Amino acid sequence: MNLPTIAVTMGDAAGVGPEVVVRALVEPEVRGLARCVVVGDAARLARAAEICGVDVRFKTVGSPAEATGEAGVIDVLDLGIIPADLPFGELSEVAGEGAFQYVAKAAELAMAGEVQAICTAPLNKAALHAAGHRYPGHTELLAELCGVPEVSMMLSTGKVRVIHVTTHIGLVDAIERIDPGLVERTVRRGHRTMVDSGIAEPKIAVCGINPHAGENGLFGRGEEEEKIVPALESCRADGIDAQGPLPADTVFFRAGRGDFDLVVAMYHDQGHGPVKILGLEAGVNITVGLPVIRTSVDHGTAFDIAGTGRAEAGSLVEALRQGAALARRP
């Protein structure tokens, strides 16, 4: 089987990242999805395995090509940054630096074509900033490291995939920012991601902005005709099956029954709400527009339970599942 290779970043070493990584990578299902190599610290992972009571061996590799993914073994690109006495559950500049270096190494591997996806365990933004790396989070950091000016957020579940034209800005600002160029670039990024994951001719539904997608100008101020229609005409001229603008109140039902492979949401809550009603544990955050797919867990560093062995790995397993499904095949 031609499995993709996924770089799994360990995240903040003082948080639950090491524990969830260990728990996830010993799952037989994960070994059948992808060849995984952890970018992190082998000694910290071994400590996490001890805390969690997981019987596993760690093999240090020099490159992803050396990873074998054999049962009972976790392959690690060991950067050796974390001191043995680093406490769990406490903000640490050293852990912030480690988290940055793990992501930087994963980005380097992606740019070199050595991995087909990146899956990130959680980092702590305050620790990242304390180490001198002032990024809002993984997305902006990876975009800069990979030299990519614009990326898109996609949420993926077993039933629905949604890519967003705008995300973390107010609704009034979102409507102002939406323009034909941004809509077109988002649709094309989504289309490319679907094609790369093996869907040769994806069906894409594009939401309107206003109720009933404007109802032919009855609602709103003509935003659909001005901001969305020109983008879709351009995409369709290149053979992309992008339907819309469609009413958002029905399009997610249609996507859930299989009418569409991807929904394009215009703003944050339009896309996030329908996905999260399916269950927070079902949704995976995906960054598209990078040289590779990047998926992430849907939780933070959880300092309150870090080092206790109580952290669950379900979110990381789902992130690995989605990353493997969307990754380009080597």
Side-chain angles (χ1 to χ4, degrees):
M1 187 184 297
N2 199 24
L3 298 177
T5 299
I6 299 180
V8 183
T9 60
M10 194 180 78
D12 190 297
V16 296
E19 295 163 76
V20 298
V21 166
V22 167
R23 288 192 185 279
L25 294 191
V26 297
E27 290 289 332
E29 177 196 359
V30 171
R31 290 202 310 277
L33 292 171
R35 185 172 60 174
C36 295
V37 57
V38 182
V39 184
D41 188 289
R44 194 64 167 183
L45 291 165
R47 175 68 180 129
E50 180 184 348
I51 290 169
C52 295
V54 174
D55 183 16
V56 66
R57 182 166 59 88
F58 297 92
K59 184 180 77 172
T60 300
V61 297
S63 71
E66 297 176 16
T68 59
E70 61 184 289
V73 176
I74 293 178
D75 298 294
V76 186
L77 264 170
D78 185 10
L79 301 194
I81 295 170
I82 306 303
D85 61 352
L86 181 82
F88 282 97
E90 296 181 16
L91 187 71
S92 165
E93 177 182 329
V94 174
E97 180 62 29
F100 172 82
Q101 294 298 338
Y102 307 149
V103 175
K105 183 62 176 179
E108 178 187 320
L109 297 172
M111 295 294 285
E114 295 185 57
V115 298
Q116 286 75 55
I118 296 171
C119 185
T120 56
L123 54 71
N124 184 283
K125 293 172 186 175
L128 188 69
H129 291 182
H133 306 293
R134 304 197 66 82
Y135 296 91
H138 274 112
T139 301
E140 295 80 6
L141 173 55
L142 279 164
E144 181 169 309
L145 289 169
C146 293
V148 177
E150 186 177 85
V151 294
S152 294
M153 175 190 291
M154 179 185 290
L155 298 181
S156 181
T157 73
K159 288 187 174 182
V160 177
R161 294 189 181 110
V162 186
I163 191 169
H164 294 70
V165 175
T166 65
T167 50
H168 295 114
I169 57 175
L171 183 55
V172 172
D173 296 327
I175 294 171
E176 183 177 339
R177 183 173 298 183
I178 295 166
D179 64 28
L182 181 56
V183 173
E184 180 177 347
R185 294 192 299 274
T186 304
V187 172
R188 290 184 183 274
R189 272 192 290 272
H191 178 267
R192 171 50 54 192
T193 300
M194 295 295 96
V195 171
D196 287 344
S197 69
I199 303 173
E201 297 180 351
K203 295 180 174 61
I204 301 174
V206 181
C207 293
I209 296 172
N210 295 295
H212 300 185
E215 191 91 20
N216 297 316
L218 182 62
F219 303 120
R221 301 177 182 179
E223 287 89 353
E224 280 75 19
E225 287 295 324
E226 175 189 347
K227 296 171 177 287
I228 300 175
V229 170
L232 300 190
E233 290 175 346
S234 178
C235 290
R236 291 174 191 142
D238 287 337
I240 296 174
D241 184 358
Q243 302 179 34
L246 298 173
D249 60 353
T250 56
V251 75
F252 289 96
F253 167 77
R254 295 179 61 191
R257 74 182 182 189
D259 290 3
F260 303 109
D261 301 297
L262 178 67
V263 176
V264 179
M266 290 295 126
Y267 52 89
H268 183 280
D269 286 10
Q270 188 181 62
H272 278 59
V275 169
K276 290 189 175 181
I277 202 169
L278 296 173
L280 287 174
E281 73 285 352
V284 171
N285 188 328
I286 301 169
T287 306
V288 299
L290 298 169
V292 297
I293 285 293
R294 172 257 173 170
T295 63
S296 75
V297 296
D298 64 358
H299 59 76
T301 48
F303 279 171
D304 57 325
I305 63 168
T308 68
R310 290 160 49 200
E312 297 181 357
S315 183
L316 183 57
V317 171
E318 183 61 27
L320 288 164
R321 185 184 295 123
Q322 298 286 349
L326 290 170
R328 299 183 183 97
R329 274 2 192 202

